[in-house]
Amino acid sequence: MKLIRLIKTFNNDESGAVTVDWVVLTAAIVGLGIAVLAAVSGGVGNLSTDIDSALSGFGTTAYSF
């Protein structure tokens, strides 16, 4: 009888199901972050090259105080 009650209690316990939901949600957020990083990284590289080209045309002046 004790074993049957233990099996019924284990079958009705749903506390682990919440953990699985959070793991799936976290994995989806991480996957979305990686996708955004892959999509944005090319544009950021091009933008930094453009900024470098624009700033390299300016001369620098040394000031002494």
Side-chain angles (χ1 to χ4, degrees), residues 3-15:
L3 180 62
I4 294 173
R5 185 175 50 199
L6 179 66
I7 292 172
K8 285 182 182 180
T9 305
F10 179 76
N11 192 27
N12 293 331
D13 187 17
E14 295 184 8
S15 62

Side-chain angles (χ1 to χ4, degrees), residues 13-27:
D13 187 17
E14 295 184 8
S15 62
V18 176
T19 303
V20 173
D21 291 342
W22 279 108
V23 167
V24 171
L25 181 64
T26 304

Side-chain angles (χ1 to χ4, degrees), residues 7-56:
I7 292 172
K8 285 182 182 180
T9 305
F10 179 76
N11 192 27
N12 293 331
D13 187 17
E14 295 184 8
S15 62
V18 176
T19 303
V20 173
D21 291 342
W22 279 108
V23 167
V24 171
L25 181 64
T26 304
I29 291 171
V30 169
L32 183 63
I34 291 171
V36 167
L37 179 67
V40 172
S41 64
V44 171
N46 293 337
L47 181 61
S48 65
T49 303
D50 294 344
I51 291 171
D52 180 47
S53 298
L55 291 178
S56 65

